[in-house]
């Protein structure tokens, strides 16, 4: 009997998220018949491991999706725009980690723990979008509370890792640490300002209204994922000298009262969420602890006394933006898709 | 004619803020007849410079305040509690940078640009308190808006420098950078977790309600400085791997509408505030730019669309917490005190 395991393509295999795809597929023993690692012609011929097996990187072309069942894209929005519709036409299910299709009508924007049910509507090959990392990390913690009592307003300030800006940005920060240690001047080719020992506004494009794209995404994507435009959201997105994992300070206004204890109870049973909230030891979510893990860490759970009793809460979260904020979310979506395909057979 | 210039004592002269006192006194050509540098017996005999002149450090005792006109304290709350009342009894005006007397009835809590007028009530030697650094940095930017339209609610998340935890903490962070560069494991004697490439909840004492002291101070001190308990305030205070200067993401709800343009106009003429708000160049307040300067930098000034039009604003500020957040504020208070003394003569 021929294997019913899928043929999988990874677009952007050599990038930071691409490498996470390989490690997460192996870790979760995601079954596949073949794996096609796709990148630019520069990387073609290079080999990469997925668990025990080794695969050669191929040049990305439209033809390579022939015979593919599932493609995980993480090579930027323009590559997704160019190749994802083609892949779908060739019968391939696409899970896209870029911003290209997130807000497109009919494209599901999915955090499986939260809105896996929107995949029900899919009938045959299609594009499914992975939300932006900051949105995923915030909503993993906030959605269980939203489901319980509704959210009136959310004020977010982020502490985002440099790796969100790519592998070269990480190398720049690490080089700055070495140069600082050696007493040399810091080189700043990517950001034009030091990352080391500094904090700066998120480097995404800025709109005329003074909000950067990272901030706008959090508002729009949350509305789409919750299917609720009525929630008031404002965000301030900031880069900090952290290698990996984003943190966020989140202030919530509820629609109905929710005590701090009830919020903690709800979060303690939320999938993909781990409470780190030890007041005695001053131990709360830290990016260094979230890095490399699957869970979004949630702590500093405390009633907000600037709002009427029970109506407000403060939270602090940390999550690995390359894993749950990108690759893990995509692989979980792929698992849902495969389960549904298996159920239909 | 004998000099009417004051005899000044600096308590905690060898500490991080103490050294700033010396540099700011010299920079501002603060007149004095004599300078008594006070510290623990360990530092006695050491010499320190103030401008061109050199002074020997003496051991702190109550007697040393005899004949002193003005003392600047920054040696922690317990030293202030032990010696400040004595200094006052001996006829010395005390400007205290610790938390010891900030919330004491009758002790003015002063940011000169904001509430210098409360010094009017002083009659003879007294203790005047310098607010906590995070409070000063926030209020420098927010008070001009409060004065214009009133503040209903303020939600703050901080990005605080390691130097707020003292010189040893800075040395720890710098050593971690050197150890990282050398591929060695990071030593964490002070914080028990790496500062380098990490973010963690502020290290001040945590109350039972889950708020740390830094957060509680911001609420209570703001109420005292504004003389207005009705403003709703909530804060999340976080340490980031920055050597110097605190940053804060501030979300405001106004009592009466204020447009973004009017807010910018008001801030552009606020004393001690400098607008850094270049959207085209993505240039906003950064701790690296605020370090060593006197001004609080304010940017990311933008209408908050999560609130009714004109009723909300987001801001991002950076200020040197050792200067305006501590030593500079104290010296400015001392200048006000001396001016008033001169006016009375």
């Amino acid at each position: 009997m021929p294997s019913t395991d899928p043929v999988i393509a990874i677009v952007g295999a050599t990038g930071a998220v691409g490498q996470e795809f390989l490690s997460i597929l192996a870790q979760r023993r995601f079954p596949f018949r073949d794996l096609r690692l796709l990148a630019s012609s520069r990387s073609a011929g290079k080999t990469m491991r997925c668990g025990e097996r080794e695969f050669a990187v191929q040049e990305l072309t439209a033809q390579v999706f022939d015979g593919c069942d599932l493609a995980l894209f993480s090579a930027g929005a323009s590559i997704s725009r160019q190749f994802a519709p083609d892949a779908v036409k060739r019968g391939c299910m696409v899970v896209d980690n870029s911003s290209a299709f997130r807000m497109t009508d009919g494209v599901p924007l999915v955090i499986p723990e939260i809105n896996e049910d929107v995949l029900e509507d899919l009938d045959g090959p299609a594009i499914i979008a992975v939300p932006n990392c900051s949105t995923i990390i915030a909503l993993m913690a906030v959605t269980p509370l939203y489901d319980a009592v509704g959210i009136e307003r959310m004020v977010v300030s982020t502490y985002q890792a440099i790796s969100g800006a790519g592998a070269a940005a990480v190398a720049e920060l690490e080089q700055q640490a070495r140069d600082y240690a050696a007493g040399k001047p810091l080189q700043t080719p990517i950001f034009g300002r030091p990352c080391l020992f500094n904090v700066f506004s998120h480097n995404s494009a800025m709109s005329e209204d003074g909000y950067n794209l990272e901030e706008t995404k959090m508002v729009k994507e949350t509305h789409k994922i919750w299917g609720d435009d009525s929630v008031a959201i404002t965000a301030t997105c900031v880069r900090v000298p952290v290698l990996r994992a984003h943190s966020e300070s989140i202030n919530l206004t509820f629609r109905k009262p929710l005590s701090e204890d009830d919020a903690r109870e709800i979060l303690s049973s939320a999938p993909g969420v781990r409470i780190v909230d030890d007041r005695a030891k001053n131990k709360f979510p830290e990016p260094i602890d979230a890095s490399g893990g699957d869970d979004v860490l949630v702590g500093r759970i405390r009633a907000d006394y600037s709002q009427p009793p029970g109506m407000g809460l403060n939270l602090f979260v940390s999550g690995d933006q390359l894993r749950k904020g990108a690759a893990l979310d995509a692989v979980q979506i792929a698992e849902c898709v495969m389960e549904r395909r298996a159920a239909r057979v």
Side-chain angles (χ1 to χ4, degrees), chain A:
Chain A
M1 204 177 85
S3 163
T4 58
D5 289 343
V7 173
I8 299 180
I10 294 188
V11 180
T14 55
V17 174
Q19 293 173 40
E20 290 299 319
F21 280 145
L22 293 178
S23 115
I24 292 169
L25 288 174
Q27 209 175 357
R28 296 172 78 91
R29 303 177 188 283
F30 194 106
F32 54 81
R33 196 159 80 245
D34 192 18
L35 191 61
R36 298 181 186 167
L37 304 188
L38 308 173
S40 69
S41 55
R42 266 179 300 129
S43 300
K46 192 178 163 184
T47 61
M48 296 181 78
R49 303 192 68 84
C50 180
E52 307 288 286
R53 295 158 69 185
E54 203 161 69
F55 299 87
V57 176
Q58 309 171 46
E59 187 182 348
L60 170 62
T61 63
Q63 292 72 33
V64 88
F65 296 104
D66 284 331
C68 257
D69 300 291
L70 177 73
L72 305 175
F73 274 67
S74 192
S78 61
I79 292 288
S80 291
R81 270 188 221 102
Q82 193 182 343
F83 289 98
D86 253 344
V88 169
K89 268 184 220 146
R90 288 162 199 262
C92 181
M93 186 65 91
V94 169
V95 181
D96 182 25
N97 188 50
S98 84
S99 62
F101 302 101
R102 283 180 190 147
M103 297 310 298
T104 304
D105 276 347
V107 172
L109 185 64
V110 179
I111 304 172
E113 292 88 344
I114 293 172
N115 64 339
E116 188 202 346
D117 57 310
V118 297
L119 297 174
E120 287 289 357
D121 304 336
L122 290 184
D123 182 25
I127 297 170
I128 304 166
V130 176
N132 187 42
C133 49
S134 303
T135 309
I136 294 176
I137 292 164
L139 295 201
M140 285 295 289
V142 176
T143 306
L145 308 175
Y146 170 79
D147 289 341
V149 291
I151 303 285
E152 178 75 28
R153 183 164 175 251
M154 174 157 86
V155 180
V156 181
S157 294
T158 70
Y159 302 69
Q160 294 186 238
I162 294 297
S163 48
V170 171
E172 180 163 317
L173 172 57
E174 291 183 301
Q175 186 57 44
Q176 288 174 356
R178 286 190 287 270
D179 286 345
Y180 184 85
K184 292 186 201 163
L186 307 188
Q187 303 301 314
T188 63
I190 295 179
F191 294 111
R193 79 236 317 156
C195 299
L196 187 74
F197 303 152
N198 197 20
V199 151
F200 56 93
S201 189
H202 194 277
N203 50 296
S204 55
M206 172 73 57
S207 3
E208 280 200 4
D209 63 5
Y211 285 87
N212 61 48
L213 264 181
E214 190 81 0
E215 293 161 354
T216 308
K217 284 174 186 174
M218 188 170 286
V219 178
K220 293 187 175 167
E221 294 179 12
T222 300
H223 287 165
K224 178 165 177 173
I225 292 164
W226 286 350
D228 180 355
D229 283 358
S230 73
V231 184
I233 303 168
T234 192
T236 299
C237 290
V238 177
R239 289 251 184 244
V240 293
V242 161
L243 294 173
R244 191 165 165 156
H246 291 346
S247 303
E248 305 182 27
S249 170
I250 303 177
N251 179 270
L252 298 173
T253 304
F254 297 129
R255 291 233 152 110
K256 287 183 289 190
L258 181 72
S259 74
E260 182 185 305
D261 287 348
D262 287 345
R264 193 174 283 109
E265 178 76 26
I266 289 167
L267 289 170
S268 69
S269 58
V273 167
R274 181 152 57 89
I275 294 184
V276 180
D277 203 31
D278 188 336
R279 293 176 182 177
K281 293 188 177 150
N282 201 36
K283 186 64 190 169
F284 302 106
E286 294 176 27
I288 225 162
D289 297 324
S291 293
D294 287 351
D295 289 336
V296 170
L297 311 183
V298 184
R300 306 278 351 251
I301 303 166
R302 61 209 197 280
D304 171 7
Y305 302 120
S306 79
Q307 303 189 68
M311 298 309 285
L313 197 79
N314 282 307
L315 296 174
F316 195 80
V317 302
S318 290
D320 188 321
Q321 92 285 3
L322 297 177
R323 291 181 70 92
K324 184 57 195 171
L328 175 60
D329 199 77
V331 171
Q332 289 175 305
I333 292 172
E335 287 171 346
C336 296
V337 166
M338 289 300 128
E339 264 172 40
R340 281 161 202 271
R341 194 174 78 152
R344 275 199 306 272
V345 171

